[in-house]
Amino acid sequence: MARLIVPLAEKKVDKAKAAEKQYTLWDGGGLHLLVMPSGKKLWRLKYRFKNHERLMALGSYDNVSLKEARIKRDNLKKEIADGIDPAAEKKKIKAETTGTYNDPDSFEYVALEWHRKNNYLPRWKPTYGELILSRLTKDVFPDIGNIAISKIETKDLVKVLEKIEKRPAIETAHRIQGYITQICRHAVRTAKIKYNPATDLEGGLPPTQTKNYPALTKPIDIANYLQKINDPDFIKCRYVTKCLLLLQPLLFTRPGELRLLEWSEIDYEEKLIDIPATKMKSKKAHYVPLSRQAISILNSLKSRAGNSKYVFASKKDSNSPLSEHTANMALMRMGFQGELTPHGFRATARTVAREKLFVDVEYLEIQLAHKTMAPNGTAYDRVAFLPERHQIMQVWADYLDDLQVGRPAKKHWLKYLPPVIEE
């Protein structure tokens, strides 16, 4: 059931006070006020265009009153109805003002052309496309945006990357190097340039340091987590978030795969989740067998779900899933910062299921949807070892139950697992 939004009153907006964290006051029709910790109040419009979610800034409350913000919202809604994306139009006007948009040979023009092509296919999720454009606007366009792409040399690109590297922001520098390489490759394909000046950038930046997600790999720590997350006096989050944090260690999925889970993807008869290829990192559909415990949690959520298609629906908008930051923020509030992340549960399952339950690595890799190759050289599909994986997921869920209540691990776990075939 969609949440009822009561229109704002000018008095309420005027008296809105800053808090430790930013918060949102909704007015209706996607219009909302973002109250920042600094006390600044910013109008934003959330809307959908061609089935993509968009967010547009409408100015600060210091300069735009509630009445004026509503007029802006209504005018922009008319544009959307006429097939115009107001955010894209705003960027176009800004580019024309700076003089770069009308120059089809400029680096910025070519970059925006490359961005539009990838963003609207769609190859990227809206949030990812916005992140790329934000990085280019901040770190690339100010230095080389106005330069004709045919006149850009490798040394010009090196200066851009060195500037980012000195911040220091090595990982961002590597990502922007990748964007620049693809933009120049696009310019070659569209006959704007004959040679890609980004080709020789490879190896110029120092390597990024691989960071592992914090994870619990000792049974005593896992038991502590499960006991706390099930303690009503300890838990500091909504019930739907609690269920997300309970299901994450049970299912081995990536956080995004679970957060975006839809009711239509759950097959209760076969006791599994069918994740479509579009939601998977590998772009291949994946089956996740469900234990009794996982089904019980899902059933408890179903009774509260209303009409939302999402298992983990947002409190603000039942037609949207929880924010990607919700689970992490909940863990931080409960004191797990630096010890655990939602993604870390995958390492927990991979490590403990192998060391304590002796689950075959091959089965674990398939269940984690890692790229696993069969002896004949073909990747396993989603039905590979499905009966065995059903057994493993139930054994794992029972093992977690025993940890939570302090029971010693049963010796008969092994009888549920596929036999080891000796060579």
Side-chain angles (χ1 to χ4, degrees), residues 130-170:
E130 290 168 10
L131 177 62
I132 291 175
L133 185 59
S134 173
R135 285 171 172 166
L136 290 172
T137 302
K138 176 184 176 184
D139 291 318
V140 182
F141 293 163
D143 293 322
I144 61 172
N146 289 317
I147 302 175
I149 196 165
S150 59
K151 297 186 180 299
I152 290 177
E153 300 178 14
T154 304
K155 64 180 181 180
D156 301 317
L157 302 178
V158 169
K159 287 180 182 177
V160 171
L161 297 176
E162 285 180 343
K163 190 174 177 181
I164 303 168
E165 179 190 343
K166 289 175 182 177
R167 281 210 302 260
I170 302 299

Side-chain angles (χ1 to χ4, degrees), residues 179-344:
Y179 306 153
I180 290 174
T181 301
Q182 292 179 58
I183 291 166
C184 292
R185 193 178 295 142
H186 170 75
V188 172
R189 286 198 296 266
T190 54
K192 302 249 186 219
I193 55 177
K194 294 181 178 180
Y195 168 74
N196 186 339
T199 302
D200 296 326
L201 293 175
E202 193 66 34
L205 290 169
T208 56
Q209 292 184 346
T210 304
K211 295 181 180 178
N212 293 322
Y213 293 99
L216 306 176
T217 54
K218 295 180 180 179
I220 190 171
D221 293 331
I222 301 172
N224 177 57
Y225 169 79
L226 294 171
Q227 289 160 8
K228 286 184 174 179
I229 210 75
N230 282 285
D231 182 353
D233 295 327
F234 177 83
I235 196 74
K236 295 180 177 66
C237 61
R238 292 172 58 220
Y239 183 77
V240 66
T241 307
K242 173 187 172 180
C243 289
L244 178 68
L245 294 174
L246 285 171
L247 278 172
Q248 194 74 67
L250 283 171
L251 301 183
F252 295 23
T253 55
R254 294 179 178 86
E257 295 161 5
L258 182 56
R259 181 177 64 85
L260 299 175
L261 180 64
E262 299 179 29
W263 292 111
S264 60
E265 295 162 2
I266 301 172
D267 186 336
Y268 284 101
E269 186 175 340
E270 297 295 331
K271 298 180 181 179
L272 54 79
I273 295 171
D274 185 358
I275 305 179
T278 52
K279 291 185 178 180
M280 294 297 298
K281 183 178 180 180
S282 63
K283 301 305 178 187
K284 292 182 179 180
H286 182 56
Y287 279 146
V288 181
L290 294 171
S291 62
R292 294 188 305 274
Q293 292 86 335
I295 291 174
S296 175
I297 294 171
L298 289 169
N299 285 338
S300 72
L301 282 167
K302 186 66 175 176
S303 64
R304 302 165 179 244
N307 296 322
S308 178
K309 70 175 183 178
Y310 291 105
V311 175
F312 303 101
S314 167
K315 181 181 179 181
K316 296 177 181 176
D317 180 3
S318 63
N319 294 317
S320 299
L322 286 178
S323 162
E324 61 184 316
H325 305 297
T326 300
N328 258 321
M329 294 302 294
L331 289 173
M332 287 172 61
R333 286 196 301 273
M334 291 184 282
F336 291 104
Q337 185 174 7
E339 298 178 17
L340 178 65
T341 64
H343 200 287

